[in-house]
């Protein structure tokens, strides 16, 4: 029996080149590792950024603006006769590595714009990395069609790890614990004031961004290897110049009108697209923007655990798709109800900031961290489930899924940005405010 298993494993490995698997994995890792890496630093960045707790809302809006990248790329390949995806990918990966390297030295630099101080260096460099991530959806994955299909799985695993790897490093980094209140007096006043002191993490954001830029540099070298190493070139199935750049044919008829053996009613088709839009409204727009308001009243440690563990939960939930059958629509609907309930709970905590229920109890910390982990896992699994149901579609199902994703994300980000920055619906607090009053 063991000999049979050993023979099957040897046969599988003989049909592929592990070095090409590694290169494809590293290439996939470069898609979103920059954005995810900056995002997991939020528990440290919100304490020094002039935007404070509204910094996540600014970041979410920037990611939406970065969708100009795929739009410009689509227009480019439509109207320009000479278009080489390989060189565009080189530029994007190099820009991602360079921007995170520069970020290590300027992430805390600010400038005054229209009378208000802003983290211009941090936000502008994040926009560059977000453009890399957004454009990867129409550029990186289609490029892998040049190689045998088995390597696409390696690429997708790498893309999933782009959230997992920075989270593990940030979990090791820590936040140093919850802030302490120190009494201070100024020469102009004898009044004692309490100011929060944030303990140092195990290593700084500077070191973290250096690590991130090194990782992105390795992703660049991996893509270089895919295009130039003999072992990788030998695994190609067609010349890069002959590949289709767009993953779907936009001229194809709507899926429910095709006669290719794939069936889905018009009602279910529309329902799943609406579900995808709502999931992305919550997962990519609304909830990340108010995460600081729902977590920080329970302490820096709770916020740190929420950001890192929830960033791991999404990719892990999506990995379940490799082991379970295609979920039914009714099952996804049930998960959607749970997701909306948990999202409502998080919104309630954010609105109640700076004094949410169970604020100084371990139960409150546990509930908020657990809720965010479950939300992240549910979002990842539901998105995977909807995409899986549309995958055999010979028509425009996957194209419309992408449209629903972008529309839901954009609407959620814009609405929440207005609520956070202009409606003043959410309020931050100083951990030493209660002591100062006494």
């Amino acid at each position: 029996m063991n000999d049979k298993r050993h023979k099957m494993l040897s046969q599988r490995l003989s049909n592929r080149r592990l070095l090409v698997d590694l290169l494809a994995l590293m290439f996939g890792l470069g898609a979103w590792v920059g954005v995810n890496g900056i995002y997991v630093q939020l528990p440290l960045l919100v304490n020094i950024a002039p935007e404070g707790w509204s910094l996540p809302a600014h970041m979410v809006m920037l990611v939406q603006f970065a969708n100009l990248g795929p739009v410009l790329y689509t227009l480019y390949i439509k109207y320009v006769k000479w278009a080489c995806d390989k060189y565009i990918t080189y530029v994007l990966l190099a820009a991602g590595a360079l921007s995170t390297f520069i970020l290590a030295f300027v992430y805390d630099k600010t400038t005054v714009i229209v009378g208000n101080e802003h983290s211009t260096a941090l936000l502008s460099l994040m926009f560059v990395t977000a453009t890399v991530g957004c454009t990867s959806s129409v550029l990186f994955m289609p490029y892998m069609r040049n190689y045998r299909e088995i390597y696409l799985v390696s690429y997708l695993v790498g893309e999933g790890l782009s959230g997992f790897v920075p989270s593990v490093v940030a979990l090791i980094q820590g936040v140093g614990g919850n802030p302490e209140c120190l009494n201070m007096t100024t020469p102009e006043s004898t009044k004692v004031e309490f100011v929060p002191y944030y303990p140092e993490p195990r290593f700084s954001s500077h070191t973290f961004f250096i690590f991130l830029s090194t990782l992105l540099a390795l992703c660049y070298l991996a893509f270089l290897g895919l295009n130039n190493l003999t072992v990788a070139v030998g695994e190609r199935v067609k010349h890069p110049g002959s590949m289709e750049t767009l993953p779907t044919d936009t001229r194809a008829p709507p899926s429910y009108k095709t006669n290719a053996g794939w069936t889905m009613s018009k009602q279910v088709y529309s329902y799943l697209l609406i579900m995808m839009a709502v999931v992305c409204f919550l997962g990519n727009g609304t909830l990340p923007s108010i995460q600081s308001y729902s977590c920080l009243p329970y302490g820096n440690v709770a916020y740190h655990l929420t950001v890192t563990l929830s960033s791991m939960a999404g990719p892990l939930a999506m990995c379940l798709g490799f082991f379970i059958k295609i979920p039914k629509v009714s099952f996804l609907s049930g998960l959607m109800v749970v997701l909306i309930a948990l999202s409502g709970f998080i919104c309630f905590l954010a609105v109640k900031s700076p004094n949410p229920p169970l604020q100084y109890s371990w139960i409150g910390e546990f509930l908020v961290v657990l809720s965010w982990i479950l939300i992240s896992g549910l979002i990842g699994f539901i998105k995977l489930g909807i995409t899986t149901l549309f995958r055999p579609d010979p028509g425009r199902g996957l194209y419309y899924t992408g449209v629903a994703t972008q529309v839901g994300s954009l609407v959620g980000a814009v609405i929440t940005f207005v609520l956070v920055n202009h409606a003043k619906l959410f309020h931050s607090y100083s951990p030493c405010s209660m002591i100062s009053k006494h």
Side-chain angles (χ1 to χ4, degrees):
M1 189 69 178
N2 288 333
D3 291 338
K4 188 177 180 180
R5 286 181 180 177
H6 185 266
K7 188 178 291 185
M8 288 177 62
L9 181 61
S10 299
Q11 188 175 3
R12 283 185 179 182
L13 294 178
S14 66
N15 291 332
R16 64 196 308 150
R17 299 288 182 267
L18 293 180
L19 177 60
V20 182
D21 277 309
L22 178 62
L23 294 175
L25 185 147
M26 289 300 297
F27 178 42
L29 187 69
W32 284 100
V33 73
V35 173
N36 291 327
I38 296 172
Y39 187 74
V40 296
Q41 285 295 287
L42 274 174
L44 296 173
L45 297 176
V46 294
N47 298 324
I48 60 172
E51 291 83 3
W53 290 18
S54 67
L55 182 62
H58 287 77
M59 287 187 170
V60 170
M61 277 298 295
L62 276 178
V63 173
Q64 299 309 313
F65 285 132
N67 281 305
L68 284 172
V71 172
L72 292 174
Y73 170 75
T74 304
L75 293 173
Y76 174 74
I77 61 172
K78 185 176 182 180
Y79 295 108
V80 178
K81 291 183 179 180
W82 184 88
C84 188
D85 293 342
K86 179 172 70 174
Y87 296 115
I88 298 173
T89 304
Y90 277 134
V91 171
L92 285 174
L93 288 173
L98 185 61
S99 61
T100 49
F101 179 75
I102 297 172
L103 189 61
F105 301 93
V106 300
Y107 69 91
D108 55 349
K109 305 298 181 185
T110 61
T111 55
V112 177
I113 301 176
V114 197
N116 293 317
E117 195 176 6
H118 290 284
S119 306
T120 45
L122 172 65
L123 294 173
S124 58
L125 289 170
M126 182 181 177
F127 176 76
V128 175
T129 60
T131 302
V132 176
C134 292
T135 312
S136 70
S137 60
V138 296
L139 185 61
F140 289 16
M141 192 183 298
Y143 192 84
M144 288 305 297
R145 289 179 176 178
N146 296 306
Y147 300 88
R148 292 170 57 203
E149 190 177 348
I150 54 174
Y151 298 115
L152 180 61
V153 176
S154 302
Y155 170 88
L156 293 172
V157 170
E159 196 171 275
L161 288 174
S162 67
F164 189 83
V165 172
S167 299
V168 171
V169 177
L171 200 59
I172 296 170
Q173 178 189 24
V175 288
N178 290 321
E180 302 171 7
C181 295
L182 303 179
N183 57 348
M184 294 184 65
T185 56
T186 58
E188 296 82 10
S189 173
T190 56
K191 184 180 178 182
V192 177
E193 293 182 359
F194 288 89
V195 294
Y197 166 73
Y198 295 93
E200 294 294 325
R202 291 185 181 90
F203 53 87
S204 66
S205 293
H206 167 81
T207 305
F208 181 89
F209 289 134
I210 290 291
F211 160 78
L212 201 61
S213 64
T214 304
L215 200 59
L216 276 161
L218 291 175
C219 297
Y220 177 90
L221 293 175
F223 185 66
L224 192 69
L226 276 176
N227 286 287
N228 295 284
L229 290 178
T230 305
V231 64
V233 173
E235 295 298 295
R236 285 182 181 172
V237 291
K238 56 182 175 179
H239 190 273
S242 66
M243 61 165 276
E244 291 181 15
T245 42
L246 288 177
T248 56
D249 182 4
T250 56
R251 294 168 295 179
S255 306
Y256 49 83
K257 292 184 180 180
T258 61
N259 297 311
W262 184 83
T263 57
M264 180 182 286
S265 69
K266 185 175 181 179
Q267 291 74 20
V268 173
Y269 188 89
S270 302
Y271 173 69
L272 287 175
L273 291 178
I274 293 171
M275 186 187 294
M276 177 65 89
V278 173
V279 167
C280 293
F281 176 92
L282 294 171
N284 297 344
T286 300
L287 295 178
S289 300
I290 62 172
Q291 190 175 51
S292 53
Y293 295 95
S294 67
C295 298
L296 270 174
Y298 295 96
N300 256 28
V301 174
Y303 187 26
H304 171 66
L305 291 174
T306 294
V307 170
T308 52
L309 295 179
S310 63
S311 294
M312 295 180 190
L316 288 175
M318 296 183 78
C319 287
L320 292 175
F322 292 103
F323 305 104
I324 64 173
K325 294 181 180 179
I326 298 175
K328 294 182 178 179
V329 176
S330 57
F331 180 68
L332 291 177
S333 299
L335 295 180
M336 192 69 191
V337 171
V338 178
L339 173 63
I340 291 174
L342 288 171
S343 300
F345 174 66
I346 291 299
C347 291
F348 169 75
L349 294 181
V351 170
K352 286 294 183 180
S353 174
N355 300 303
L358 301 173
Q359 183 174 15
Y360 301 106
S361 167
W362 70 267
I363 299 176
E365 294 182 34
F366 174 77
L367 286 177
V368 73
V369 174
L370 179 63
S371 297
W372 271 105
I373 293 173
L374 292 174
I375 284 172
S376 183
L378 285 169
I379 288 171
F381 188 82
I382 293 172
K383 287 168 69 175
L384 176 71
I386 295 172
T387 306
T388 303
L389 289 172
F390 277 116
R391 188 177 295 159
D393 174 14
R396 287 184 288 180
L398 289 176
Y399 171 76
Y400 283 130
T401 302
V403 172
T405 298
Q406 298 303 332
V407 170
S409 302
L410 179 61
V411 173
V414 171
I415 290 176
T416 315
F417 184 83
V418 172
L419 291 176
V420 169
N421 293 283
H422 300 288
K424 305 299 180 184
L425 187 63
F426 306 98
H427 304 281
S428 58
Y429 86 116
S430 169
C432 304
S433 58
M434 295 299 293
I435 301 176
S436 300
K437 290 178 182 178
H438 290 81

